[in-house]
Amino acid sequence: MFRTRFAPSPTGYLHLGHALSALTVAHCAKVADGEMLLRIENTDFTRCRDDYEQSIHEDLKWLGLDWPEPVRRQSDHFPDYKAALQRLIDAGLVYKCFLSRKDLMAIIEENPAMSAEGPDGPVYFGKPLAATEEERLIEQGVPFAWRLSISEAKAALGTKWKEITCRERSFTDRYAIKTVPITPEIFGDAVIARKDIGTSYHLASVHDDALQNVTHVIRGDDLKEAVHLHRLLQVLLDLPEPIYQHHRLLTDETGKKLSKRDQSPALKDMRENGVSLDDVKQRLGSLLP
């Protein structure tokens, strides 16, 4: 069965870009005679709010969408992500990193081969500290992140490393699927959990896609590079491989992607001001499938 999901984070009110994504995901599920799940990705308790989450439900209903109940709320399932992380720890594939962003930028300035422009920020390749040094920093309460070691992943997978691919589906022909090689090293040793939060978008997302039997991951072009890291995590955790599909983004007149950070018009304000679903679809125009 075709199953996909719309998985917003309640860190702000949804805007037109989210409407484009939600309507696109729902359309793909409908034409495939499948279903769209709603998943609330609210693991970042420092930014997520209950009123934003409530508004997500109201906005999506206003857009004419529905989904199976119950809705999975990631904040209710931290033990699941802890167990997934523990598997990687036990396999020696992750290490504790105590470097701040300022520390990372200083290291990158001294190492021209490194980059500050990875998909998630600075591209850093490191290794575990000596056990005594780790213990000292932990006793001092220094925060740390768990990083996925690319070198250890390569060693663990051996010749299979170069065989990892992803399957991408076309929007122009929904039956056209191409196989694409992945390059997860573009992330460096990616952060997949933090001491305070215990997981990351990447780890929780691939875990839940597998748990919820998601067959097709449909999302915006801004997350296309995430596939490289997600496919690696799926292989390392022995999770099933979905088919990926990425839609075009809604941009402003300068070509910049609409975002919560830039205070793009909220769907909540639009519906409260009498904007109709037809108005929304007209604004999205040819971007809708």
Side-chain angles (χ1 to χ4, degrees):
M1 177 183 179
F2 183 108
R3 177 177 288 165
T4 186
R5 82 293 195 278
F6 178 61
S9 297
T11 57
Y13 292 114
L14 299 187
H15 53 67
L16 274 176
H18 294 109
L20 170 62
S21 189
L23 290 169
T24 298
V25 172
H27 171 82
C28 291
K30 182 177 180 179
V31 298
D33 195 24
E35 66 178 357
M36 180 193 79
L37 306 178
L38 173 62
R39 185 167 74 219
I40 302 298
E41 298 195 337
N42 61 341
T43 56
D44 187 352
F45 53 81
T46 65
R47 298 171 59 216
C48 294
R49 287 176 21 187
D50 291 342
D51 57 328
Y52 292 151
E53 184 174 340
Q54 178 62 33
S55 185
I56 286 172
H57 288 261
E58 294 169 357
D59 290 340
L60 296 181
K61 290 293 184 183
W62 176 63
L63 292 175
L65 305 181
D66 53 36
W67 49 85
E69 297 286 353
V71 171
R72 183 173 176 88
R73 302 177 67 253
Q74 289 187 334
S75 62
D76 297 332
H77 302 282
F78 278 110
D80 291 355
Y81 313 130
K82 181 179 179 180
L85 175 62
Q86 191 61 50
R87 288 180 60 188
L88 298 173
I89 294 172
D90 293 344
L93 297 171
V94 296
Y95 62 92
K96 297 185 187 77
C97 177
F98 297 84
L99 298 173
S100 67
R101 184 178 180 86
K102 182 178 179 180
D103 295 333
L104 287 175
M105 297 309 296
I107 291 172
I108 288 171
E109 286 182 9
E110 296 174 0
N111 294 269
M114 293 186 181
S115 170
E117 300 300 328
D120 277 353
V123 177
Y124 171 73
F125 297 93
K127 60 182 180 179
L129 297 176
T132 53
E133 180 64 7
E134 273 195 5
E135 291 173 4
R136 183 183 69 81
L137 292 173
I138 290 173
E139 287 177 0
Q140 292 177 356
V142 178
F144 65 84
W146 287 100
R147 289 186 179 272
L148 180 66
S149 172
I150 289 294
S151 62
E152 293 297 333
K154 284 183 177 180
L157 294 174
T159 57
K160 292 183 180 179
W161 172 268
K162 293 184 178 181
E163 298 172 3
I164 306 174
T165 59
C166 70
R167 293 179 295 165
E168 290 187 355
R169 189 173 105 154
S170 167
F171 265 101
T172 56
D173 180 358
R174 65 190 180 97
Y175 298 104
I177 298 175
K178 62 180 180 179
T179 300
V180 180
I182 67 159
T183 55
E185 56 269 30
I186 63 173
F187 283 84
D189 289 350
V191 171
I192 58 164
R194 296 187 184 278
K195 179 186 177 183
D196 54 346
I197 294 178
T199 187
S200 65
Y201 157 71
H202 302 295
L203 184 60
S205 180
V206 298
H207 175 279
D208 285 356
D209 285 340
L211 179 72
Q212 296 184 289
N213 298 314
V214 170
T215 61
H216 292 70
V217 174
I218 303 166
R219 55 196 181 192
D221 272 337
D222 55 329
L223 289 171
K224 195 167 187 176
E225 290 178 314
V227 176
H228 297 272
L229 180 54
H230 292 189
R231 283 294 297 125
L232 176 58
L233 285 169
Q234 287 159 1
V235 171
L236 294 174
L237 292 169
D238 194 26
L239 302 177
E241 175 190 0
I243 293 172
Y244 290 92
Q245 193 169 10
H246 296 88
H247 61 76
R248 291 180 296 164
L249 301 177
L250 183 64
T251 58
D252 62 19
E253 61 276 3
T254 68
K256 185 177 180 181
K257 184 191 81 167
L258 292 185
S259 69
K260 300 173 187 173
R261 184 177 303 170
D262 297 327
Q263 298 183 331
S264 300
L267 297 184
K268 175 180 180 293
D269 295 336
M270 294 173 67
R271 59 181 167 82
E272 290 178 352
N273 290 325
V275 176
S276 70
L277 176 56
D278 286 340
D279 293 332
V280 170
K281 290 183 176 179
Q282 186 174 1
R283 293 192 193 189
L284 296 177
S286 63
L287 290 173
L288 288 172

